[in-house]
Amino acid sequence: MCDVCGCGTGPKATRLAVELHSSLLAGNDETASHLRAHFEAAGLSTVNLMGSPGAGKTALLEATARALGGTRRLAAVSGDLATENDAQRLRRAGIPSLAITTGTGCHLDAAMVHDALHAPALAVALEGAAFFFVENVGNLVCPALFDLGQAANVVVLSVTEGVDKPEKYPVMFRHADLVVLSKADLLPHLPEVSVAAVEASLAKVAPRTRVLPLSARTGEGVGEFVAWLDALHARTEAKSAGVPARFVSHTHPG
Amino acid sequence: MHEVSLVESLLDQLDGLRDRTAGRPTATAVCLVRVRVGAGSGVEPTLFRTAYEACRGAREYTAAKLELVLEPERWVCPLCQSSVGAEGPLDCADCDAARVLRAGAGIFLDRVEMEVPDV
Ligand SMILES: Nc1nc2c(ncn2[C@@H]2O[C@H](COP(=O)(O)OP(=O)(O)OP(=O)(O)O)[C@@H](O)[C@H]2O)c(=O)[nH]1
Ligand SMILES: [Mg+2]
Ligand SMILES: [Zn+2]
Ligand SMILES: [Zn+2]
Ligand SMILES: [Zn+2]
């Protein structure tokens, strides 16, 4: 019937209703599953590193590379709105890295990570690597929504951001497998901030998640972070037992 | 703004629906889109609507009204399935198990209505 005046004349049309209940993240989740299969077959432990701009994500990776001193093979991608600075810093620290420049995009999605994996330089670095770090775009909101096929999420929260951040950004902190409380060397200057206060805020949204105080500057907590990574990697290896630990390269039609 | 990516994904799903119905309904024939937004999804409904209004013109879905349905969070104990409140202690006291989010964590395209001209 005529929609303009309701007169009942005009071209006849049938109303068609379709019930779908399909997730708007289904496309991303499908690519993420493909990535996860890549990672598991390769025995590669992939860590999605999230946190506010300037929380100390790149510094954490630099300190980790220093502590490891070449004993584990690492690779990384870093998501950045505009520059390649972080990838350059990571390469200087000895971690083969590729920048993913997102333009106005405020998070990484699975397709961006997948494209990066198929870049020849990174594909070579991933052969035989134990850890693949994905440094997400600095943002406490949306990176948590987009699965990247990772084995674990690490949220970096610096001591200067305020102790109530877990309650203010519950979706992000609920997704965390570990919260690194960074810049712990600054704690003496911040009487109102304590590890216990951050733990109390986190307990309201994710009571089982551990807070690890760490300073990339003094090295405090870096050893414990490495131990956490090694435990994660032991689980990855148990999963891919029997499969030769090498990155499975493959091509896609089209 | 991730709301834009989610709207693009919504419009892609609408395109796919058109293809599945053998090209019969046109983009302009889609008159209603119902999206369910979970309170724990990380998606801000007003920002989602703003992004939708900004993006749908370029994709020719000018006639498609957006209906947003808000879904509250529902937490349950994974062992005994009993409801655990969003406030207060987060774990099931009986089973000592961490609660899981059973509903309200996602964003879904629930329903599409189209006006298809009779031929
Ligand atoms: N005092 C102190 N400063 C730190 C520490 N870690 C990082 N910083 C400083 O914090 C600033 C930001 O560090 P980055 O590592 O670039 O932080 P980021 O999270 O990678 O930043 P984006 O990628 O730009 O979001 C730099 O000036 C670092 O020197 C730390 O442990 N202690
Ligand atoms: Mg950085
Ligand atoms: Zn692939
Ligand atoms: Zn985003
Ligand atoms: Zn229970």
Side-chain angles (χ1 to χ4, degrees):
Chain A
M1 87 159 199
C2 167
D3 261 347
V4 180
C5 62
C7 63
T9 61
K12 283 200 179 1
T14 307
R15 190 101 167 180
L16 205 72
V18 189
E19 296 282 342
L20 295 120
H21 311 297
S22 61
S23 169
L24 295 190
L25 286 159
N28 185 78
D29 291 347
E30 197 177 303
T31 309
S33 303
H34 172 75
L35 284 172
R36 192 162 277 120
H38 265 307
F39 298 147
E40 284 179 4
L44 189 63
S45 298
T46 299
V47 176
N48 182 12
L49 208 60
M50 299 179 281
S52 313
K57 300 178 290 299
T58 309
L60 170 62
L61 294 182
E62 290 168 327
T64 303
R66 272 198 303 276
L68 287 173
T71 55
R72 325 269 193 291
R73 284 189 55 188
L74 316 173
V77 289
S78 64
D80 215 319
L81 297 184
T83 73
E84 300 214 353
N85 295 356
D86 286 4
Q88 284 167 3
R89 277 171 62 188
L90 294 173
R91 283 197 291 268
R92 278 201 296 273
I95 309 176
S97 301
L98 200 73
I100 302 179
T101 312
T102 58
T104 56
C106 44
H107 59 266
L108 292 178
D109 65 27
M112 295 174 194
V113 173
H114 185 246
D115 285 351
L117 285 188
H118 282 275
L122 199 61
V124 169
L126 286 168
E127 293 272 348
F131 296 102
F132 177 44
F133 297 105
V134 179
E135 180 182 343
N136 222 306
V137 180
N139 180 339
L140 274 183
V141 185
C142 46
L145 276 60
F146 295 83
D147 186 6
L148 305 177
Q150 69 276 7
N153 286 322
V154 172
V155 177
V156 180
L157 172 69
S158 57
V159 293
T160 50
E161 288 174 66
V163 296
D164 59 351
K165 287 301 161 295
E167 290 158 83
K168 282 190 176 165
Y169 297 93
V171 176
M172 172 60 74
F173 284 90
R174 255 180 221 157
H175 281 86
D177 295 296
L178 177 72
V179 173
V180 168
L181 184 61
S182 61
K183 312 190 190 181
D185 55 288
L186 299 178
L187 278 171
H189 305 283
L190 304 162
E192 75 285 12
V193 181
S194 68
V195 179
V198 173
E199 282 170 342
S201 177
L202 185 66
K204 293 183 187 165
V205 298
R208 303 200 174 215
T209 306
R210 174 177 169 205
V211 176
L212 173 60
L214 183 145
S215 167
R217 187 141 305 173
T218 66
E220 173 197 348
V222 176
E224 279 153 285
F225 183 62
V226 167
W228 181 87
L229 285 173
D230 281 340
L232 175 72
H233 194 55
R235 291 197 294 278
T236 304
E237 286 190 315
K239 245 184 236 171
S240 64
V243 183
R246 61 180 297 276
F247 190 68
V248 182
S249 44
H250 65 279
T251 53
H252 295 278
Chain B
M1 193 168 80
H2 55 294
E3 280 80 7
V4 172
S5 329
L6 295 172
V7 164
E8 293 294 347
S9 148
L10 165 66
L11 298 174
D12 289 346
Q13 289 198 15
L14 293 179
D15 286 349
L17 202 63
R18 265 200 292 157
D19 297 343
R20 278 215 306 280
T21 47
R24 270 211 326 157
T26 63
T28 46
V30 175
C31 49
L32 184 93
V33 177
R34 184 183 298 155
V35 172
R36 173 161 43 102
V37 182
S41 69
V43 178
E44 187 52 55
T46 44
L47 291 179
F48 187 82
R49 182 176 291 284
T50 307
Y52 179 76
E53 299 304 337
C55 297
R56 66 170 170 162
R59 303 279 293 263
E60 293 172 45
Y61 289 100
T62 42
K65 240 185 70 183
L66 174 67
E67 193 177 296
L68 285 179
V69 179
L70 305 185
E71 184 177 40
E73 286 181 6
R74 198 164 65 80
W75 294 90
V76 299
C77 166
L79 298 180
C80 70
Q81 304 301 325
S82 65
S83 280
V84 184
E87 305 293 323
L90 299 182
D91 292 348
C92 176
D94 297 333
C95 311
D96 190 35
R99 61 175 192 168
V100 293
L101 197 50
R102 200 35 67 72
I107 176 162
F108 299 91
L109 171 57
D110 269 355
R111 185 180 171 91
V112 178
E113 292 182 15
M114 293 170 279
E115 289 271 358
V116 187
D118 296 336
V119 280

